[in-house]
Amino acid sequence: MKFTKMQGCGNDYVYVDGSREQIPQEEKPALVRRLSDRHFGIGGDGVIFINPSGEADFEMEMYNADGTRAEMCGNGIRCVGKFVYDKGLTDKTDITVISAGSVKYLTLIVKEGKVQQVKVNMGAPELKSALVPVISENDRVVDEAVCVQGKDYKMTCVSMGNPHAVVYLDDVDALAIEEIGPYFENHERFPRRTNTEFVKVIDRNTVQMRVWERGTGETLACGTGACAVAVACVLNGLTEETVTVKLLGGDLVITWDREADLVYMTGPAAMVFEGEIEI
């Protein structure tokens, strides 16, 4: 099977052209776990199959490293845009990609014939508790208390097609994320588990973020998480509508156009290497 390893801000996935590589659906979870393994496989935060679609230009079929399906990946979808353009699967610089039934709109920023950055219209954030989903007596979870491992935190919950819990801290560098992350992910208040963003506000236009991703663990970046953070920051009155989110793997620029209720994400996409592996 031929594959391409790509990364956006260090959030790395194995990409497979689903129009060329026919993998039975029931075999994909085990294959994903094998390919994602950083010691015995290719290594990555998961696997993304790029498939033909009748509803958009392309479909993104995304899996976490543990073999579970994920609804959306902001860094991953930017790499999909680069993949399909750089490999000649499209000559358009404005394309649509569907993932888990939701269509996203991508603008490809091309330099010297290759995609360097991608701007993605991520759609409207979902704030209703039942639809994030998060268990709460309130219609929205904004700056709401949650007890994790005996410690009280305040969280703001947003779905960007997948669930996020945003938690603000004074220091994220010293956070023992490997210890606390799994308890947030599997907390009883999240029926479908959750991604958790731990955030330090630097100023009105800049925040620092570390992320524990559902089904994967800590990653160098999470595009949907950065979008959720920008929305949460505005809801809590902490930043302007456009904010630079500083991740371990690089920076993303996120804008929540509140009038249109649309979130835009702009960031890099890069190819790491290509290869072929026996399956």
Side-chain angles (χ1 to χ4, degrees), residues 184-209:
F184 268 97
E185 176 184 350
N186 297 290
H187 196 278
E188 61 186 7
R189 291 187 62 183
F190 301 105
R192 289 178 14 220
R193 299 184 294 160
T194 192
N195 303 282
T196 311
E197 287 75 36
F198 300 95
V199 180
K200 176 183 177 180
V201 177
I202 297 172
D203 56 42
R204 295 286 300 177
N205 303 104
T206 315
V207 300
Q208 179 188 2
M209 166 186 140

Side-chain angles (χ1 to χ4, degrees), residues 27 31 35 45 88 92 99 123 130 142 171 182 207 212 223 232-233 253 261 263 265 273:
E27 295 179 11
L31 177 62
L35 297 180
D45 293 326
K92 299 191 297 184
S99 179
V142 178
D171 180 8
V207 300
W212 182 267
C233 285
V253 177
D261 195 27
V263 179
M265 171 190 61
F273 62 86

Side-chain angles (χ1 to χ4, degrees), residues 39-79:
H39 299 286
F40 297 101
I42 299 165
D45 293 326
V47 177
I48 292 176
F49 297 90
I50 303 172
N51 304 322
S53 172
E55 303 167 87
D57 293 315
F58 301 94
E59 181 199 22
M60 179 174 81
E61 181 187 355
M62 180 200 167
Y63 291 81
N64 297 313
D66 66 356
T68 57
R69 281 293 301 272
E71 303 92 337
M72 184 58 197
C73 175
N75 293 310
I77 202 169
R78 293 201 315 277
C79 289

